[in-house]
Amino acid sequence: MKRLLCITICLLSMGAGAQNPIIRDQFTADPTARVFNNKVYLFPSHDIPAPAGQRQDWFCMEDYHVFSSENLTDWTDHGVILSQENVPWGKPDGYSMWAPDCVAKDGKYYFYYPNAPRGGRGFAVGVAIAEHPEGPYTPEKESIRGVMGIDPCVLIDDDGAAYLYWSGMGIRGGRLKENMTELKDGSLQMEGLPEGFKEGPFAFKRDGRYYLTFPWVRKENGTETLAYAMSDSPLGPWQFKGIIMAEHDNRCWTNHHSLVQYKGEWYLFYHRNHYSPGMDKRRSACIEKVSFNADGTIQEVKQTLRGVGLTQATSKIEVDRYSSAGDGVSIEFNDSTDTFQGWHATLANKGSWLRYNDVDFSSISAGYVSAKIKANANTYLTIHEGSAEGKLIAKLAINVETQRYDLRGKWVILTYALDEMPRGTTDLSIVCEGAEISIDWMQIKTAPLP
Ligand code: FUB
């Protein structure tokens, strides 16, 4: 057995990290992603726990943040760009800052957002304008005349014409004036969409064809799928094409999404209540890759824990966000009173395995592996390149009864020398070789000590 180089007994919980959800310190619903200046900007809505006096079992949103990323893995939070008390036409305590969008036109950024109007009922849609995607954004004094509803989305066509879509008694759309803040000729109901509840329109153009994508409840007592229709014209009529993503398997009622092309790949941003399993109005943004068929139709997308993007071998590899797993693997929150502390995986039996895709070893040439693990009896894990039968990279043993410590049931960080150093980007598999063992994360290091 390899010599154990270092043991750290974890007295404090470590910060959570994971691939899906992509933002790991706050809720982020209704994720609209846009590419500006070669970066992906994420404009989600911001679920918060409802303050006293507000409905506890409903959506509660008081402001918007914007985030950006160049690799879809590391996200920078640029902070609050708009709060309910700064919307001149909105209820300052409406907590109704629902799904937004942002587009760039002629060097300016137009942020569209729904909100509860002051002294009125239902929802209206406003615009806030900035010189930079990160803001500062200045809200227009009035909401957009003729738009009563939620979930605005803007498509700018190749000829510069801009179209606004939103939901409210179905999905409506209309052309915007050059000023981007008013409808040009009113609006019309989008025709050709299936029966059943629809909201959250997201429109885009690809290879000369228009796509209208939307959350859709397809069956009685069902929850939302993500579905789409195509057309040769920005305002339809539309031809319904089917499902992009099936209902959540945990009955989270909403889904809401955007599709964006970045560095040659298409991605679906969507949400799910990962950090709030008991309450589906506190959601978190996730990403998956999307593929199109030759005829322009969209292949159905499956939800994963792993999400997208490379994980640097030298960062904490949150293996509980695995790509696939065999029998005997389960995940649990690290701290059920603070779910943002993330998860750990438990491999219950000898032979239980999990696989984590796309780990980038290119910036490291020799090394050690540290892992945060926990067991009740002496046992060990092996780490392999590729599948569970792939080349052995390291063996992580835990001896729970050392001369100095009783480690039974305690989280410890163990550090070992690697047997082999993978090159480039590879998948990693972790295999339980003995009694039950839990793992929170692992990390490749150039030096053995932290
Ligand atoms: O986030 C509040 C609402 O839930 C959105 O506006 C809808 O699209 C649904 O996701």
Side-chain angles (χ1 to χ4, degrees):
M1 191 174 284
K2 274 236 159 271
R3 191 167 60 89
L4 175 63
L5 294 171
C6 166
I7 299 180
T8 310
I9 301 179
C10 305
L11 297 175
L12 299 171
S13 62
M14 307 290 293
Q19 300 310 303
N20 272 338
I22 56 173
I23 306 297
R24 304 194 280 271
D25 62 354
Q26 60 193 286
F27 298 116
T28 47
D30 307 320
T32 300
R34 296 287 184 187
V35 178
F36 300 135
N37 314 322
N38 299 319
K39 280 191 202 173
V40 177
Y41 283 84
L42 180 69
F43 296 89
S45 47
H46 182 197
D47 291 339
I48 55 169
Q54 295 297 317
R55 250 182 91 172
Q56 300 295 307
D57 60 348
W58 193 238
F59 305 105
C60 189
M61 293 113 125
E62 62 182 352
D63 61 20
Y64 297 102
H65 286 229
V66 61
F67 303 80
S68 70
S69 174
E70 287 179 73
N71 59 11
L72 303 179
T73 299
D74 304 304
W75 292 89
T76 303
D77 180 355
H78 300 283
V80 172
I81 55 169
L82 189 63
S83 293
Q84 57 184 2
E85 62 275 13
N86 297 325
V87 176
W89 53 268
K91 273 190 192 144
D93 56 355
Y95 294 95
S96 299
M97 310 286 272
W98 287 17
D101 190 10
C102 186
V103 291
K105 187 148 195 293
D106 302 330
K108 287 200 169 138
Y109 296 86
Y110 295 86
F111 180 74
Y112 296 82
Y113 60 98
N115 192 8
R118 205 176 285 230
R121 291 167 69 90
F123 281 83
V125 168
V127 193
I129 304 171
E131 304 285 329
H132 306 280
E134 299 87 357
Y137 283 85
T138 306
E140 292 284 289
K141 295 253 172 317
E142 304 290 341
S143 60
I144 305 177
R145 190 187 294 264
V147 180
M148 294 303 290
I150 58 171
D151 300 349
C153 163
V154 171
L155 176 147
I156 302 182
D157 211 341
D158 304 331
D159 61 1
Y163 299 88
L164 175 69
Y165 307 81
W166 68 96
S167 51
M169 309 291 282
I171 295 180
R172 298 190 72 82
R175 187 163 168 186
L176 286 167
K177 287 186 183 169
E178 274 297 303
N179 63 14
M180 301 293 279
T181 61
E182 290 171 281
L183 286 175
K184 192 165 185 281
D185 311 305
S187 69
L188 54 131
Q189 188 80 27
M190 296 296 95
E191 297 295 341
L193 307 183
E195 291 296 310
F197 182 79
K198 296 173 282 300
E199 59 178 349
F202 184 82
F204 64 98
K205 191 175 185 184
R206 178 180 177 274
D207 291 345
R209 280 177 285 206
Y210 298 88
Y211 292 76
L212 181 62
T213 68
F214 47 92
W216 172 48
V217 180
R218 62 174 154 179
K219 38 189 185 207
E220 210 177 318
N221 297 322
T223 60
E224 289 182 336
T225 63
L226 298 177
Y228 75 110
M230 292 170 70
S231 176
D232 294 328
S233 132
L235 293 176
W238 299 94
Q239 213 184 358
F240 181 58
K241 294 291 177 184
I243 295 293
I244 306 173
M245 180 174 269
E247 295 86 353
H248 296 294
D249 61 12
N250 66 350
R251 290 200 62 80
C252 174
W253 202 89
T254 64
N255 200 346
H256 188 115
H257 67 301
S258 54
L259 286 102
V260 72
Q261 189 178 25
Y262 185 57
K263 296 186 178 168
E265 297 273 6
W266 280 85
Y267 296 95
L268 173 72
F269 286 69
Y270 65 100
H271 72 216
R272 178 184 171 112
N273 57 333
H274 278 288
Y275 287 125
S276 174
M279 208 294 209
D280 67 354
K281 308 292 182 286
R282 311 283 178 258
R283 298 144 305 165
S284 297
C286 299
I287 319 178
E288 310 292 349
K289 270 193 185 160
V290 181
S291 298
F292 290 81
N293 297 311
D295 64 357
T297 53
I298 303 175
Q299 292 179 13
E300 189 170 331
V301 178
K302 300 275 180 232
Q303 297 187 16
T304 71
L305 297 173
R306 172 67 181 85
V308 303
L310 294 184
T311 298
Q312 293 304 311
T314 49
S315 66
K316 282 199 178 127
I317 306 167
E318 299 287 347
V319 294
D320 46 79
R321 310 286 85 194
Y322 49 72
S323 308
S324 53
D327 288 344
V329 175
S330 58
I331 57 169
E332 259 181 292
F333 283 114
N334 288 329
D335 177 352
S336 56
T337 65
D338 178 7
T339 57
F340 290 109
Q341 294 298 321
W343 296 261
H344 59 267
T346 298
L347 291 79
N349 314 305
K350 184 169 165 48
S352 302
W353 60 271
L354 62 82
R355 180 171 176 148
Y356 185 100
N357 289 356
D358 297 332
V359 181
D360 181 5
F361 283 82
S362 56
S363 65
I364 187 163
S365 57
Y368 302 84
V369 56
S370 291
K372 184 180 169 193
I373 59 184
K374 181 175 78 167
N376 286 314
N378 293 353
T379 182
Y380 69 106
L381 291 169
T382 49
I383 305 172
H384 304 255
E385 192 167 350
S387 74
E389 289 80 42
K391 191 197 282 175
L392 182 71
I393 296 172
K395 206 176 206 180
L396 269 67
I398 176 162
N399 182 357
V400 293
E401 235 178 304
T402 67
Q403 282 184 329
R404 291 175 58 197
Y405 307 112
D406 179 357
L407 301 181
R408 257 178 291 244
K410 294 199 174 81
W411 284 108
V412 289
I413 298 170
L414 303 181
T415 302
Y416 285 85
L418 287 181
D419 287 355
E420 288 282 339
M421 173 61 82
R423 289 171 193 279
T425 296
T426 186
D427 300 347
L428 296 178
S429 289
I430 297 180
V431 183
C432 173
E433 304 287 357
E436 177 176 297
I437 183 164
S438 298
I439 177 164
D440 186 1
W441 50 260
M442 54 185 257
Q443 183 172 24
I444 308 299
K445 298 185 165 176
T446 44
L449 294 173

